[in-house]
Each structure stands twice: as structure tokens, then as C-alpha cells.
Amino acid sequence: MKPIEKPLKSLVMGRRSFLSGAAALGVGAGLSAPAIVTRAAAQEISDIALRDQDLSFIGVEETFSTPDLMALNSINQDHIDFLTEIGLADLGQGRIDLMDQAGLNLAILSAHTPAVQNVPGQAGIDFAYRLNKALVDGPMAAYPKRFQAFATLPLQSPEAAADELERTVREDGFVGLLTNGHIGKKFLDHPDFEPVLARAEALNVPIYLHPGYPTAEVFDVYYKTTRPEYTEEYQDYIFSGSGYGWHQEVLTQCVRMIIYGVFDRFPKLQIIVGHMGEGLPFYYERIVNDLGGATENSLKKPLGQYFQDNFWFTTSAFFQDDLLHLLLQHISVDRLMFATDYPFADMKQGTDWFRAVNLPREDKEKIAFRNAEKLFGITV
């Protein structure tokens, strides 16, 4: 996608105004809030939230950046200013204070999309190493019980990426890796990435599939407008990203990995998907029913079984009761984990929302922290 030259100030203020206004109303981006709440229902919500005030939380998708990384991936200076202002690069006491206010015990950090996965050769290898070591020597050392991390990998060099994954897991205690959409116009089902998949499986660590922006060709066909007046508020940029596009791309990658045999080749490989399943709850029946028949002779298991055996899902930025319950109709509660998507979503808003969710206490503990403890081998 070509860089956008127009300043981001209108986008920045628009999103910020929306979020601050929503917070004032007690709701937020994605937070489920019925127009009319009966007194009895409100009391029930209040009682549940009060009961679960003592919940522990592990945040599984909590984003960070550095000045070098923002310079690499931002589209202009206003974009950098925005990311800095919202606290993306703050890995010190400021973020810890927000975690304390929210009751977030542990944050698993991941580099801002697309991290360094599009940097080729030795430059990408060196950049990934510096970024990973900066976490170990910085926030993870300063706050050893509050931060963990997913490895950032130089995925344009798969063998080197696999080696860096192993180094971060064995030497630094990282809990897995995170990718950001397509990698050089390829998804993880491509044979090029089998060294990374094999190493993740051997190390028994998961891969978090985070969204990324589309290729220029996809952007031009799907999202680009022929009427320049409709780019004034970054409609095309947001349309291709957080407003719609990248959620569809993650779900596409998940289905590709299943139907093209990734989990038959790597049966123990575990994949994490954020944003309440990236649309999967809505499409689940259609995917399983229509593609199930088409793949019954090429896959070792029924298609839907792979979602139960090889995937985990998080709540990041989608603080909606209805989506949570819809996802739970298809996926076991043992496969869901809590995440906030800070700083692009409000940390306290996320924990406050989940404390009030109407689920059994045992199930809420699984989602809030126990499933993450089990998957990552950590404790709060």
C-alpha cells in the first residue's frame, strides 16, 4: 500500500473523540450497551461485577513500539506523533500505572504491526534481535512479574526467524511469536515458512496471527476509491485496516492454514486469533458446512475439529457480550483468553467489561487468566 501523504490529524482526533466520548458514557468501541437497561438487569450486572472484582487478568495482546520501529512503519510524522501520544512506546511506570488501575496483572507484549517482518536480509535479522533484546533488557528486567513477550521475527528470512524464535524462547523466556498479516504476499501456509512452523511446534509455543495491511494490489481492487473526496478522513486506509479489511484477512489466513493441510503436517501447532475471532463467530457454520464437504477427502480430520484443536481466541478490543457468547457457541471456553489491545483500546474499560460479563465464575477465571497460564506456562 502506498504511503498516505495527507496528515493524520483528522483521523487521530476523530478516533480519540469517539473513544473519549464513549468512555464518558460508560461504553466504548465495541462495548455492548443496550439502549434500555431495566433496573433488575442493571442490578444483576452490578452484582456480577462486584462478585468478580478480584479477578486476575493476563492481557494477551498488548502492543508496544519504539522510535525506530515507528519510523519504519508509520505513514507520516503525524502518525508517529499519534502513536507516541497514545503511549505505544511507553514501557515504563506510566503503563504499569494503567495496568494497576485496570487490574491487569501481566501484559504479553507484541510489536506494532507489521513489526520487522517486511525487512529483508541481514537488516531484518538484526532489527528483530535488537527489538527482542530491548524488551528483555528493558521492561521485562525492570518489571519482571508484569511483562512477558511474543518474539518479533525477521520472517523474510524463515530459517533465521526460526533460530531467533528458539533463542528468544530458550534464552529469554518468550512465550511465542506474533505475525502481522501477509509476509511478502504469502501467508503461513506457504512452504517457505515451514521452518518457522516446525520450530514453533517443536518448542511448544503458539503463533499469534495479528492483522496487517493488504498488498498494494489487494488495496487497489478492494479498498481504493476512484473519488478523491472520499479519502479526506482516511476512509480507504481505515477500510483496508481496522475498520474492516484486516479482520477478514486474518480469517482468510486461518482457513487457508486448515484447508491446505498446515495442521496435518504440524498437528501440535497452536494458533492464537484476536479480536473475538476476527469474524469467525459469524461465519463459523458456513465455513464448516460448505468447506467441510469439499475437504473431507484431503484433510485428516473434519474441518471444524481444527478450530477446536489448534486455535485459541482472545477478546482484544472487542468488548461485546453478544460476540463473546456467540463465539462460545462454537469454541470451548477452554480456548478463550483475555486481551485488551492497549493502547488502541482502553485497558480499564476492558477489565471492567469482563468483570460484569454474565458467565460462571469458573469460566471467567479460565478466560481472564487460567487458560493463558496453561498455554504459556506462566502464572500470575
Side-chain angles (χ1 to χ4, degrees):
M1 180 176 164
K2 297 182 179 66
I4 296 174
E5 299 300 334
K6 180 178 178 295
L8 272 178
K9 288 182 179 176
S10 59
L11 168 61
V12 172
M13 294 312 298
R15 186 168 189 188
R16 173 152 307 163
S17 297
F18 171 75
L19 289 175
S20 61
L25 294 172
V27 301
L31 186 61
S32 179
I36 300 175
V37 179
T38 66
R39 183 173 299 178
Q43 184 60 51
E44 181 181 17
I45 293 171
S46 176
D47 290 345
I48 293 170
L50 186 62
R51 179 198 72 185
D52 294 332
Q53 277 298 304
D54 63 336
L55 268 179
S56 296
F57 285 95
I58 295 175
V60 179
E61 185 186 325
E62 315 304 319
T63 314
F64 81 97
S65 192
T66 66
D68 285 347
L69 191 60
M70 286 191 283
L72 173 69
N73 290 324
S74 299
I75 62 176
N76 56 28
Q77 185 58 48
D78 281 338
H79 193 190
I80 293 174
D81 293 343
F82 166 62
L83 296 176
T84 302
E85 185 180 347
I86 65 173
L88 191 61
D90 179 7
L91 292 172
Q93 192 59 46
R95 187 177 292 225
I96 291 293
D97 290 344
L98 291 174
M99 290 169 61
D100 289 343
Q101 292 168 23
L104 192 73
N105 301 70
L106 177 68
I108 301 179
L109 301 170
S110 54
H112 184 223
T113 188
V116 303
Q117 70 183 43
N118 295 326
V119 181
Q122 193 62 44
I125 295 170
D126 293 343
F127 204 149
Y129 177 82
R130 291 197 307 271
L131 207 60
N132 293 327
K133 291 304 290 185
L135 289 181
V136 175
D137 297 336
M140 292 171 67
Y143 307 97
K145 297 183 179 180
R146 307 304 301 274
F147 291 124
Q148 251 300 346
F150 291 110
T152 299
L153 299 182
L155 291 166
Q156 296 288 340
S157 305
E159 291 285 355
D163 290 343
E164 175 64 2
L165 173 62
E166 182 157 358
R167 188 200 65 76
T168 60
V169 171
R170 296 196 184 281
E171 294 182 12
D172 299 329
F174 281 28
V175 297
L177 67 137
L178 182 137
T179 68
N180 296 278
H182 69 90
I183 305 152
K185 303 181 183 180
K186 301 169 186 174
F187 287 128
L188 288 177
D189 61 280
H190 194 281
D192 283 358
F193 302 113
E194 293 206 348
V196 177
L197 305 185
R199 199 72 60 91
E201 183 184 48
L203 292 166
N204 194 30
V205 294
I207 300 174
Y208 201 123
L209 298 187
H210 188 273
Y213 285 97
T215 65
E217 297 91 338
V218 171
F219 178 83
D220 286 346
V221 173
Y222 278 87
Y223 304 110
K224 185 178 181 180
T225 177
T226 58
R227 299 179 180 273
E229 66 269 24
Y230 291 105
T231 65
E232 288 299 309
E233 299 297 330
Y234 294 92
Q235 289 98 323
D236 51 356
Y237 182 75
I238 300 173
F239 182 25
S240 72
S242 61
Y244 174 79
W246 65 15
H247 306 296
Q248 297 300 313
E249 184 181 272
V250 171
L251 184 54
T252 298
Q253 182 169 197
C254 292
V255 175
R256 286 185 64 97
M257 293 180 76
I258 293 174
I259 68 175
Y260 298 142
V262 166
F263 302 107
D264 288 343
R265 295 188 294 275
F266 305 101
K268 296 181 180 179
L269 182 65
Q270 300 296 302
I271 301 295
I272 307 171
V273 178
H275 305 132
M276 209 70 86
E278 306 285 15
L280 179 67
F282 182 85
Y283 290 109
Y284 185 87
E285 293 289 347
R286 177 59 66 93
I287 291 170
V288 169
N289 291 336
D290 284 25
L291 282 172
T295 58
E296 63 182 351
N297 294 324
S298 59
L299 295 178
K300 294 181 179 179
K301 296 187 290 190
L303 188 148
Q305 191 61 45
Y306 296 94
F307 283 117
Q308 315 303 323
D309 295 345
N310 299 98
F311 285 86
W312 302 71
F313 301 88
T314 83
T315 64
S316 57
F318 279 63
F319 308 143
Q320 293 178 242
D321 295 33
D322 49 356
L323 281 182
L324 175 63
H325 289 294
L326 182 59
L327 183 57
L328 284 169
Q329 289 182 29
H330 305 297
I331 302 298
S332 168
V333 69
D334 295 323
R335 290 262 164 180
L336 266 63
M337 297 182 290
F338 181 80
T340 73
D341 204 3
Y342 178 84
F344 303 104
D346 187 283
M347 222 185 285
K348 189 174 187 302
Q349 193 177 0
T351 55
D352 284 349
W353 160 73
F354 192 72
R355 289 187 187 98
V357 167
N358 189 4
L359 286 174
R361 171 72 186 212
E362 180 181 2
D363 289 349
K364 290 178 76 171
E365 288 187 1
K366 287 181 178 181
I367 297 170
F369 69 99
R370 294 196 188 281
N371 290 342
E373 287 184 322
K374 178 180 178 181
L375 177 61
F376 301 119
I378 57 179
T379 58
V380 297

